Structures are given as structure tokens and as C-alpha cells.
mmCIF file of all heavy atoms in Angstrom:
data_model
loop_
_atom_site.group_PDB
_atom_site.id
_atom_site.type_symbol
_atom_site.label_atom_id
_atom_site.label_comp_id
_atom_site.label_asym_id
_atom_site.label_seq_id
_atom_site.Cartn_x
_atom_site.Cartn_y
_atom_site.Cartn_z
ATOM 1 N N PHE A 79 0.867 -1.109 0.074
ATOM 2 C CA PHE A 79 -0.063 -0.055 0.066
ATOM 3 C C PHE A 79 0.820 1.244 0.017
ATOM 4 O O PHE A 79 1.922 1.203 0.589
ATOM 5 C CB PHE A 79 -0.970 -0.072 1.224
ATOM 6 C CG PHE A 79 -1.963 -1.070 1.176
ATOM 7 C CD1 PHE A 79 -1.729 -2.319 1.831
ATOM 8 C CD2 PHE A 79 -3.109 -0.850 0.477
ATOM 9 C CE1 PHE A 79 -2.660 -3.288 1.674
ATOM 10 C CE2 PHE A 79 -3.965 -1.896 0.339
ATOM 11 C CZ PHE A 79 -3.870 -3.063 0.963
ATOM 12 N N ASN A 80 0.480 2.250 -0.711
ATOM 13 C CA ASN A 80 1.105 3.492 -0.674
ATOM 14 C C ASN A 80 0.213 4.688 -0.362
ATOM 15 O O ASN A 80 -0.485 5.266 -1.253
ATOM 16 C CB ASN A 80 1.586 3.694 -2.142
ATOM 17 C CG ASN A 80 2.454 5.000 -2.341
ATOM 18 O OD1 ASN A 80 2.924 5.545 -1.291
ATOM 19 N ND2 ASN A 80 2.428 5.530 -3.580
ATOM 20 N N LEU A 81 -0.053 4.775 0.960
ATOM 21 C CA LEU A 81 -0.899 5.686 1.514
ATOM 22 C C LEU A 81 -0.254 6.403 2.671
ATOM 23 O O LEU A 81 0.517 5.952 3.382
ATOM 24 C CB LEU A 81 -2.138 4.955 2.105
ATOM 25 C CG LEU A 81 -2.959 4.197 1.083
ATOM 26 C CD1 LEU A 81 -3.895 3.208 1.749
ATOM 27 C CD2 LEU A 81 -3.887 5.155 0.298
ATOM 28 N N PRO A 82 -0.510 7.700 2.905
ATOM 29 C CA PRO A 82 -0.068 8.361 4.024
ATOM 30 C C PRO A 82 -0.861 8.061 5.261
ATOM 31 O O PRO A 82 -2.067 8.214 5.418
ATOM 32 C CB PRO A 82 -0.360 9.925 3.662
ATOM 33 C CG PRO A 82 -1.627 9.800 2.776
ATOM 34 C CD PRO A 82 -1.558 8.584 2.020
ATOM 35 N N ILE A 83 -0.188 7.325 6.091
ATOM 36 C CA ILE A 83 -0.830 6.787 7.365
ATOM 37 C C ILE A 83 -0.392 7.615 8.582
ATOM 38 O O ILE A 83 0.786 8.041 8.674
ATOM 39 C CB ILE A 83 -0.634 5.378 7.454
ATOM 40 C CG1 ILE A 83 0.860 4.861 7.728
ATOM 41 C CG2 ILE A 83 -1.273 4.530 6.390
ATOM 42 C CD1 ILE A 83 1.023 3.494 8.114
ATOM 43 N N ASN A 84 -1.228 7.532 9.586
ATOM 44 C CA ASN A 84 -0.918 8.169 10.918
ATOM 45 C C ASN A 84 -1.683 7.436 12.024
ATOM 46 O O ASN A 84 -2.725 7.798 12.549
ATOM 47 C CB ASN A 84 -1.438 9.641 10.864
ATOM 48 C CG ASN A 84 -0.921 10.277 12.210
ATOM 49 O OD1 ASN A 84 -0.069 9.952 12.710
ATOM 50 N ND2 ASN A 84 -1.637 11.387 12.525
ATOM 51 N N PRO A 85 -1.171 6.217 12.226
ATOM 52 C CA PRO A 85 -1.767 5.542 13.389
ATOM 53 C C PRO A 85 -1.566 6.082 14.771
ATOM 54 O O PRO A 85 -0.387 6.543 14.971
ATOM 55 C CB PRO A 85 -1.084 4.143 13.305
ATOM 56 C CG PRO A 85 0.260 4.420 12.631
ATOM 57 C CD PRO A 85 0.090 5.580 11.830
ATOM 58 N N ILE A 86 -2.591 6.188 15.572
ATOM 59 C CA ILE A 86 -2.579 6.931 16.718
ATOM 60 C C ILE A 86 -2.365 5.789 17.850
ATOM 61 O O ILE A 86 -3.083 4.892 18.019
ATOM 62 C CB ILE A 86 -3.819 7.723 16.980
ATOM 63 C CG1 ILE A 86 -3.894 8.656 15.867
ATOM 64 C CG2 ILE A 86 -3.828 8.441 18.423
ATOM 65 C CD1 ILE A 86 -4.756 9.842 15.861
ATOM 66 N N GLY A 87 -1.256 5.930 18.617
ATOM 67 C CA GLY A 87 -0.986 4.998 19.702
ATOM 68 C C GLY A 87 0.260 5.399 20.481
ATOM 69 O O GLY A 87 0.826 6.534 20.248
ATOM 70 N N THR A 88 0.691 4.593 21.371
ATOM 71 C CA THR A 88 1.834 4.802 22.271
ATOM 72 C C THR A 88 3.138 4.696 21.361
ATOM 73 O O THR A 88 3.010 4.188 20.198
ATOM 74 C CB THR A 88 1.901 3.956 23.385
ATOM 75 O OG1 THR A 88 2.133 2.558 22.816
ATOM 76 C CG2 THR A 88 0.643 3.853 24.332
ATOM 77 N N ASP A 89 4.215 5.114 21.886
ATOM 78 C CA ASP A 89 5.435 4.858 21.216
ATOM 79 C C ASP A 89 5.724 3.507 20.969
ATOM 80 O O ASP A 89 6.148 3.137 19.793
ATOM 81 C CB ASP A 89 6.622 5.595 21.809
ATOM 82 C CG ASP A 89 6.578 7.122 21.915
ATOM 83 O OD1 ASP A 89 5.864 7.717 21.062
ATOM 84 O OD2 ASP A 89 7.341 7.811 22.673
ATOM 85 N N PHE A 90 5.504 2.650 22.034
ATOM 86 C CA PHE A 90 5.803 1.248 21.793
ATOM 87 C C PHE A 90 4.853 0.615 20.748
ATOM 88 O O PHE A 90 5.318 -0.107 19.771
ATOM 89 C CB PHE A 90 5.490 0.498 23.002
ATOM 90 C CG PHE A 90 5.698 -1.050 22.985
ATOM 91 C CD1 PHE A 90 6.925 -1.581 23.017
ATOM 92 C CD2 PHE A 90 4.539 -1.821 22.794
ATOM 93 C CE1 PHE A 90 7.109 -2.990 22.948
ATOM 94 C CE2 PHE A 90 4.826 -3.207 22.652
ATOM 95 C CZ PHE A 90 6.019 -3.723 22.781
ATOM 96 N N GLN A 91 3.564 0.939 20.778
ATOM 97 C CA GLN A 91 2.624 0.443 19.629
ATOM 98 C C GLN A 91 3.150 0.897 18.175
ATOM 99 O O GLN A 91 3.093 0.012 17.353
ATOM 100 C CB GLN A 91 1.233 0.964 19.914
ATOM 101 C CG GLN A 91 0.553 0.306 21.130
ATOM 102 C CD GLN A 91 -0.659 1.099 21.533
ATOM 103 O OE1 GLN A 91 -0.871 2.276 21.311
ATOM 104 N NE2 GLN A 91 -1.505 0.406 22.172
ATOM 105 N N LYS A 92 3.500 2.188 18.165
ATOM 106 C CA LYS A 92 4.001 2.576 16.887
ATOM 107 C C LYS A 92 5.301 1.899 16.357
ATOM 108 O O LYS A 92 5.415 1.713 15.252
ATOM 109 C CB LYS A 92 4.278 4.135 16.938
ATOM 110 C CG LYS A 92 2.985 5.053 16.985
ATOM 111 C CD LYS A 92 3.313 6.421 17.073
ATOM 112 C CE LYS A 92 2.049 7.240 17.258
ATOM 113 N NZ LYS A 92 2.336 8.702 17.316
ATOM 114 N N LYS A 93 6.152 1.598 17.281
ATOM 115 C CA LYS A 93 7.281 0.726 16.946
ATOM 116 C C LYS A 93 6.942 -0.561 16.408
ATOM 117 O O LYS A 93 7.460 -0.993 15.490
ATOM 118 C CB LYS A 93 8.179 0.659 18.336
ATOM 119 C CG LYS A 93 9.552 0.215 17.989
ATOM 120 C CD LYS A 93 10.376 0.314 19.348
ATOM 121 C CE LYS A 93 11.750 0.105 19.101
ATOM 122 N NZ LYS A 93 12.496 0.176 20.326
ATOM 123 N N VAL A 94 5.928 -1.311 17.053
ATOM 124 C CA VAL A 94 5.393 -2.540 16.762
ATOM 125 C C VAL A 94 4.772 -2.431 15.261
ATOM 126 O O VAL A 94 5.132 -3.177 14.370
ATOM 127 C CB VAL A 94 4.491 -3.153 17.644
ATOM 128 C CG1 VAL A 94 3.667 -4.404 17.132
ATOM 129 C CG2 VAL A 94 5.148 -3.498 19.016
ATOM 130 N N TRP A 95 3.917 -1.485 15.103
ATOM 131 C CA TRP A 95 3.253 -1.210 13.720
ATOM 132 C C TRP A 95 4.068 -0.952 12.725
ATOM 133 O O TRP A 95 4.030 -1.476 11.677
ATOM 134 C CB TRP A 95 2.192 -0.197 13.905
ATOM 135 C CG TRP A 95 1.160 -0.359 14.955
ATOM 136 C CD1 TRP A 95 0.730 -1.574 15.507
ATOM 137 C CD2 TRP A 95 0.395 0.547 15.758
ATOM 138 N NE1 TRP A 95 -0.294 -1.458 16.534
ATOM 139 C CE2 TRP A 95 -0.487 -0.147 16.639
ATOM 140 C CE3 TRP A 95 0.389 2.000 15.715
ATOM 141 C CZ2 TRP A 95 -1.342 0.651 17.515
ATOM 142 C CZ3 TRP A 95 -0.535 2.597 16.603
ATOM 143 C CH2 TRP A 95 -1.358 1.810 17.472
ATOM 144 N N ALA A 96 5.265 -0.234 13.004
ATOM 145 C CA ALA A 96 6.283 0.115 11.992
ATOM 146 C C ALA A 96 7.016 -1.319 11.484
ATOM 147 O O ALA A 96 7.332 -1.497 10.394
ATOM 148 C CB ALA A 96 7.354 1.048 12.477
ATOM 149 N N GLU A 97 7.183 -2.162 12.631
ATOM 150 C CA GLU A 97 7.692 -3.544 12.230
ATOM 151 C C GLU A 97 6.717 -4.261 11.458
ATOM 152 O O GLU A 97 7.196 -5.071 10.525
ATOM 153 C CB GLU A 97 8.072 -4.141 13.523
ATOM 154 C CG GLU A 97 9.172 -5.297 13.421
ATOM 155 C CD GLU A 97 10.426 -4.935 12.600
ATOM 156 O OE1 GLU A 97 11.074 -3.877 12.920
ATOM 157 O OE2 GLU A 97 10.922 -5.600 11.731
ATOM 158 N N LEU A 98 5.412 -4.163 11.703
ATOM 159 C CA LEU A 98 4.506 -5.030 11.037
ATOM 160 C C LEU A 98 4.574 -4.685 9.418
ATOM 161 O O LEU A 98 4.285 -5.538 8.561
ATOM 162 C CB LEU A 98 3.130 -4.722 11.437
ATOM 163 C CG LEU A 98 2.928 -5.225 12.924
ATOM 164 C CD1 LEU A 98 1.373 -4.833 13.170
ATOM 165 C CD2 LEU A 98 3.228 -6.699 13.250
ATOM 166 N N LEU A 99 4.711 -3.353 9.179
ATOM 167 C CA LEU A 99 4.812 -2.973 7.792
ATOM 168 C C LEU A 99 5.943 -3.591 7.042
ATOM 169 O O LEU A 99 6.006 -3.657 5.783
ATOM 170 C CB LEU A 99 5.030 -1.366 7.730
ATOM 171 C CG LEU A 99 3.730 -0.568 8.146
ATOM 172 C CD1 LEU A 99 4.039 0.882 8.347
ATOM 173 C CD2 LEU A 99 2.716 -0.843 7.060
ATOM 174 N N LYS A 100 6.966 -4.214 7.736
ATOM 175 C CA LYS A 100 8.143 -4.768 7.088
ATOM 176 C C LYS A 100 7.866 -6.249 6.765
ATOM 177 O O LYS A 100 8.692 -6.907 6.078
ATOM 178 C CB LYS A 100 9.372 -4.665 8.012
ATOM 179 C CG LYS A 100 9.842 -3.152 8.227
ATOM 180 C CD LYS A 100 10.927 -3.157 9.234
ATOM 181 C CE LYS A 100 11.323 -1.765 9.514
ATOM 182 N NZ LYS A 100 12.428 -1.757 10.663
ATOM 183 N N ILE A 101 6.780 -6.769 7.248
ATOM 184 C CA ILE A 101 6.447 -8.244 6.935
ATOM 185 C C ILE A 101 5.962 -8.337 5.492
ATOM 186 O O ILE A 101 4.996 -7.737 5.084
ATOM 187 C CB ILE A 101 5.273 -8.778 7.822
ATOM 188 C CG1 ILE A 101 5.724 -8.652 9.307
ATOM 189 C CG2 ILE A 101 5.068 -10.349 7.520
ATOM 190 C CD1 ILE A 101 4.624 -8.991 10.330
ATOM 191 N N PRO A 102 6.752 -9.017 4.633
ATOM 192 C CA PRO A 102 6.354 -8.984 3.192
ATOM 193 C C PRO A 102 5.018 -9.705 2.907
ATOM 194 O O PRO A 102 4.532 -10.568 3.642
ATOM 195 C CB PRO A 102 7.481 -9.842 2.569
ATOM 196 C CG PRO A 102 8.590 -9.912 3.524
ATOM 197 C CD PRO A 102 7.970 -9.861 4.979
ATOM 198 N N TYR A 103 4.384 -9.192 1.882
ATOM 199 C CA TYR A 103 3.120 -9.884 1.386
ATOM 200 C C TYR A 103 3.281 -11.330 1.311
ATOM 201 O O TYR A 103 4.350 -11.754 0.769
ATOM 202 C CB TYR A 103 2.857 -9.198 0.050
ATOM 203 C CG TYR A 103 1.509 -9.659 -0.681
ATOM 204 C CD1 TYR A 103 0.421 -8.977 -0.568
ATOM 205 C CD2 TYR A 103 1.666 -10.766 -1.599
ATOM 206 C CE1 TYR A 103 -0.662 -9.384 -1.189
ATOM 207 C CE2 TYR A 103 0.503 -11.166 -2.240
ATOM 208 C CZ TYR A 103 -0.686 -10.379 -1.971
ATOM 209 O OH TYR A 103 -1.964 -10.864 -2.639
ATOM 210 N N GLY A 104 2.300 -12.060 1.717
ATOM 211 C CA GLY A 104 2.282 -13.498 1.621
ATOM 212 C C GLY A 104 3.177 -14.263 2.651
ATOM 213 O O GLY A 104 3.226 -15.505 2.703
ATOM 214 N N GLN A 105 3.775 -13.449 3.614
ATOM 215 C CA GLN A 105 4.573 -14.153 4.583
ATOM 216 C C GLN A 105 4.046 -13.752 5.998
ATOM 217 O O GLN A 105 3.272 -12.873 6.124
ATOM 218 C CB GLN A 105 6.017 -13.577 4.506
ATOM 219 C CG GLN A 105 6.622 -13.975 3.213
ATOM 220 C CD GLN A 105 8.181 -13.667 3.194
ATOM 221 O OE1 GLN A 105 8.755 -13.627 4.168
ATOM 222 N NE2 GLN A 105 8.494 -13.382 1.914
ATOM 223 N N THR A 106 4.513 -14.489 6.923
ATOM 224 C CA THR A 106 3.992 -14.212 8.475
ATOM 225 C C THR A 106 5.219 -14.071 9.292
ATOM 226 O O THR A 106 6.287 -14.533 9.006
ATOM 227 C CB THR A 106 3.251 -15.392 8.923
ATOM 228 O OG1 THR A 106 3.838 -16.635 8.813
ATOM 229 C CG2 THR A 106 1.853 -15.519 8.034
ATOM 230 N N ALA A 107 5.007 -13.695 10.466
ATOM 231 C CA ALA A 107 5.928 -13.512 11.492
ATOM 232 C C ALA A 107 5.160 -13.851 12.865
ATOM 233 O O ALA A 107 4.075 -13.610 13.032
ATOM 234 C CB ALA A 107 6.560 -12.125 11.508
ATOM 235 N N SER A 108 5.920 -14.338 13.820
ATOM 236 C CA SER A 108 5.412 -14.538 15.223
ATOM 237 C C SER A 108 5.523 -13.357 16.003
ATOM 238 O O SER A 108 6.286 -12.497 15.678
ATOM 239 C CB SER A 108 6.121 -15.721 15.829
ATOM 240 O OG SER A 108 7.406 -15.403 16.235
ATOM 241 N N TYR A 109 4.755 -13.360 17.043
ATOM 242 C CA TYR A 109 4.860 -12.316 18.005
ATOM 243 C C TYR A 109 6.288 -12.157 18.634
ATOM 244 O O TYR A 109 6.719 -11.135 18.795
ATOM 245 C CB TYR A 109 3.840 -12.426 19.156
ATOM 246 C CG TYR A 109 2.384 -12.444 18.794
ATOM 247 C CD1 TYR A 109 1.754 -13.605 18.517
ATOM 248 C CD2 TYR A 109 1.733 -11.207 18.528
ATOM 249 C CE1 TYR A 109 0.357 -13.606 18.072
ATOM 250 C CE2 TYR A 109 0.421 -11.197 18.010
ATOM 251 C CZ TYR A 109 -0.203 -12.350 17.814
ATOM 252 O OH TYR A 109 -1.571 -12.260 17.380
ATOM 253 N N ARG A 110 6.850 -13.186 18.842
ATOM 254 C CA ARG A 110 8.167 -13.337 19.497
ATOM 255 C C ARG A 110 9.226 -12.735 18.371
ATOM 256 O O ARG A 110 10.092 -11.922 18.829
ATOM 257 C CB ARG A 110 8.540 -14.667 19.778
ATOM 258 C CG ARG A 110 9.911 -14.651 20.426
ATOM 259 C CD ARG A 110 10.415 -16.143 20.901
ATOM 260 N NE ARG A 110 11.582 -16.151 21.754
ATOM 261 C CZ ARG A 110 12.716 -15.618 21.460
ATOM 262 N NH1 ARG A 110 12.960 -15.040 20.349
ATOM 263 N NH2 ARG A 110 13.793 -15.772 22.236
ATOM 264 N N GLU A 111 9.079 -13.089 17.103
ATOM 265 C CA GLU A 111 9.910 -12.563 16.169
ATOM 266 C C GLU A 111 9.867 -10.970 16.032
ATOM 267 O O GLU A 111 10.837 -10.291 15.896
ATOM 268 C CB GLU A 111 9.605 -13.168 14.737
ATOM 269 C CG GLU A 111 9.932 -14.704 14.605
ATOM 270 C CD GLU A 111 9.342 -15.283 13.405
ATOM 271 O OE1 GLU A 111 8.392 -14.828 12.808
ATOM 272 O OE2 GLU A 111 10.117 -16.247 12.840
ATOM 273 N N ILE A 112 8.618 -10.472 16.122
ATOM 274 C CA ILE A 112 8.467 -9.053 16.152
ATOM 275 C C ILE A 112 9.108 -8.352 17.465
ATOM 276 O O ILE A 112 9.789 -7.470 17.284
ATOM 277 C CB ILE A 112 6.893 -8.654 16.104
ATOM 278 C CG1 ILE A 112 6.279 -9.133 14.814
ATOM 279 C CG2 ILE A 112 6.834 -7.105 16.260
ATOM 280 C CD1 ILE A 112 6.787 -8.617 13.531
ATOM 281 N N ALA A 113 8.975 -9.071 18.511
ATOM 282 C CA ALA A 113 9.624 -8.584 19.730
ATOM 283 C C ALA A 113 11.062 -8.611 19.699
ATOM 284 O O ALA A 113 11.683 -7.585 20.074
ATOM 285 C CB ALA A 113 9.089 -9.495 21.005
ATOM 286 N N VAL A 114 11.623 -9.630 19.038
ATOM 287 C CA VAL A 114 13.086 -9.650 18.828
ATOM 288 C C VAL A 114 13.578 -8.407 17.942
ATOM 289 O O VAL A 114 14.445 -7.723 18.180
ATOM 290 C CB VAL A 114 13.512 -11.005 18.292
ATOM 291 C CG1 VAL A 114 14.949 -10.867 17.858
ATOM 292 C CG2 VAL A 114 13.378 -12.016 19.314
ATOM 293 N N LYS A 115 12.787 -8.285 16.825
ATOM 294 C CA LYS A 115 13.176 -7.180 15.879
ATOM 295 C C LYS A 115 13.018 -5.857 16.443
ATOM 296 O O LYS A 115 13.706 -5.005 16.077
ATOM 297 C CB LYS A 115 12.328 -7.361 14.588
ATOM 298 C CG LYS A 115 12.663 -8.586 13.810
ATOM 299 C CD LYS A 115 11.821 -8.685 12.512
ATOM 300 C CE LYS A 115 12.330 -9.803 11.754
ATOM 301 N NZ LYS A 115 11.705 -10.117 10.570
ATOM 302 N N ILE A 116 12.165 -5.563 17.423
ATOM 303 C CA ILE A 116 12.084 -4.257 17.963
ATOM 304 C C ILE A 116 13.040 -4.104 19.215
ATOM 305 O O ILE A 116 12.904 -3.088 19.815
ATOM 306 C CB ILE A 116 10.573 -3.983 18.327
ATOM 307 C CG1 ILE A 116 10.104 -4.778 19.403
ATOM 308 C CG2 ILE A 116 9.718 -3.912 17.116
ATOM 309 C CD1 ILE A 116 8.812 -4.300 20.207
ATOM 310 N N GLY A 117 13.870 -5.159 19.435
ATOM 311 C CA GLY A 117 14.839 -5.029 20.432
ATOM 312 C C GLY A 117 14.412 -5.397 21.891
ATOM 313 O O GLY A 117 15.048 -5.076 22.896
ATOM 314 N N ASN A 118 13.247 -6.117 21.882
ATOM 315 C CA ASN A 118 12.771 -6.454 23.242
ATOM 316 C C ASN A 118 12.221 -7.833 23.261
ATOM 317 O O ASN A 118 10.958 -8.093 23.190
ATOM 318 C CB ASN A 118 11.602 -5.406 23.582
ATOM 319 C CG ASN A 118 11.221 -5.368 25.057
ATOM 320 O OD1 ASN A 118 11.568 -6.393 25.792
ATOM 321 N ND2 ASN A 118 10.589 -4.299 25.471
ATOM 322 N N PRO A 119 13.111 -8.888 23.264
ATOM 323 C CA PRO A 119 12.620 -10.257 23.004
ATOM 324 C C PRO A 119 11.668 -10.822 24.012
ATOM 325 O O PRO A 119 11.042 -11.834 23.727
ATOM 326 C CB PRO A 119 14.035 -10.976 22.958
ATOM 327 C CG PRO A 119 15.117 -10.061 23.538
ATOM 328 C CD PRO A 119 14.579 -8.713 23.435
ATOM 329 N N LYS A 120 11.549 -10.269 25.186
ATOM 330 C CA LYS A 120 10.630 -10.726 26.205
ATOM 331 C C LYS A 120 9.341 -10.064 26.012
ATOM 332 O O LYS A 120 8.418 -10.333 26.924
ATOM 333 C CB LYS A 120 11.218 -10.565 27.487
ATOM 334 C CG LYS A 120 12.442 -11.351 27.802
ATOM 335 C CD LYS A 120 12.978 -11.318 29.147
ATOM 336 C CE LYS A 120 14.330 -12.202 29.209
ATOM 337 N NZ LYS A 120 14.772 -12.233 30.581
ATOM 338 N N ALA A 121 9.069 -9.378 25.093
ATOM 339 C CA ALA A 121 7.777 -8.600 24.843
ATOM 340 C C ALA A 121 6.650 -9.159 23.997
ATOM 341 O O ALA A 121 5.887 -8.375 23.498
ATOM 342 C CB ALA A 121 8.159 -7.198 24.417
ATOM 343 N N SER A 122 6.762 -10.449 23.910
ATOM 344 C CA SER A 122 5.890 -11.068 22.985
ATOM 345 C C SER A 122 4.373 -10.713 23.366
ATOM 346 O O SER A 122 3.571 -10.439 22.420
ATOM 347 C CB SER A 122 5.955 -12.555 22.980
ATOM 348 O OG SER A 122 7.131 -13.018 22.506
ATOM 349 N N ARG A 123 3.982 -10.766 24.566
ATOM 350 C CA ARG A 123 2.495 -10.418 24.978
ATOM 351 C C ARG A 123 2.350 -8.986 24.809
ATOM 352 O O ARG A 123 1.263 -8.594 24.346
ATOM 353 C CB ARG A 123 2.317 -10.688 26.468
ATOM 354 C CG ARG A 123 2.273 -12.141 26.751
ATOM 355 C CD ARG A 123 1.884 -12.398 28.199
ATOM 356 N NE ARG A 123 2.048 -13.781 28.596
ATOM 357 C CZ ARG A 123 0.830 -14.552 28.491
ATOM 358 N NH1 ARG A 123 -0.322 -14.064 28.148
ATOM 359 N NH2 ARG A 123 0.936 -15.842 28.792
ATOM 360 N N ALA A 124 3.231 -8.037 24.973
ATOM 361 C CA ALA A 124 3.002 -6.607 24.649
ATOM 362 C C ALA A 124 2.973 -6.368 23.143
ATOM 363 O O ALA A 124 2.109 -5.539 22.753
ATOM 364 C CB ALA A 124 4.203 -5.842 25.178
ATOM 365 N N VAL A 125 3.651 -7.125 22.434
ATOM 366 C CA VAL A 125 3.582 -7.044 20.950
ATOM 367 C C VAL A 125 2.172 -7.495 20.485
ATOM 368 O O VAL A 125 1.404 -6.926 19.622
ATOM 369 C CB VAL A 125 4.636 -7.945 20.203
ATOM 370 C CG1 VAL A 125 4.236 -8.186 18.762
ATOM 371 C CG2 VAL A 125 5.993 -7.331 20.316
ATOM 372 N N GLY A 126 1.605 -8.529 21.078
ATOM 373 C CA GLY A 126 0.300 -9.102 20.863
ATOM 374 C C GLY A 126 -0.682 -8.072 21.243
ATOM 375 O O GLY A 126 -1.787 -7.803 20.453
#
């Protein structure tokens, strides 16, 4: 998608959402994988 977006949330939420945008079309990632990518490997529940 090529749209100007402005998701409203906390800094942590925005960090997670920015990482979600990097998951390629047709692929998946786990909550844990996202937590690791944002530099907080124990934050799987917070990512969820």
C-alpha cells in the first residue's frame, strides 16, 4: 500500500506497527519474532 498513514498510539505501539509494515506480502511472523526485531525479545505479549 502507498498511503499516508498516521496510526494513533503509544510509542511502543507505533514501533510494533512500523515493524509489521516490514512483513512481506504472503509471509508471516510470530509475536516473538516481532519482539526480537524491535529489540525487546521478552515482549511477545506486549507485541500481541
Side-chain angles (χ1 to χ4, degrees):
F79 291 95
N80 182 19
L81 296 160
I83 62 171
N84 185 22
I86 302 193
T88 66
D89 289 343
F90 179 82
Q91 290 168 336
K92 289 178 182 182
K93 195 173 190 179
V94 170
W95 301 333
E97 197 59 44
L98 299 183
L99 287 167
K100 297 176 186 175
I101 304 171
Y103 180 92
Q105 295 184 30
T106 59
S108 72
Y109 296 100
R110 185 179 191 305
E111 289 169 329
I112 299 296
V114 167
K115 287 183 180 184
I116 64 168
N118 198 342
K120 295 184 180 184
S122 296
R123 286 185 186 267
V125 166

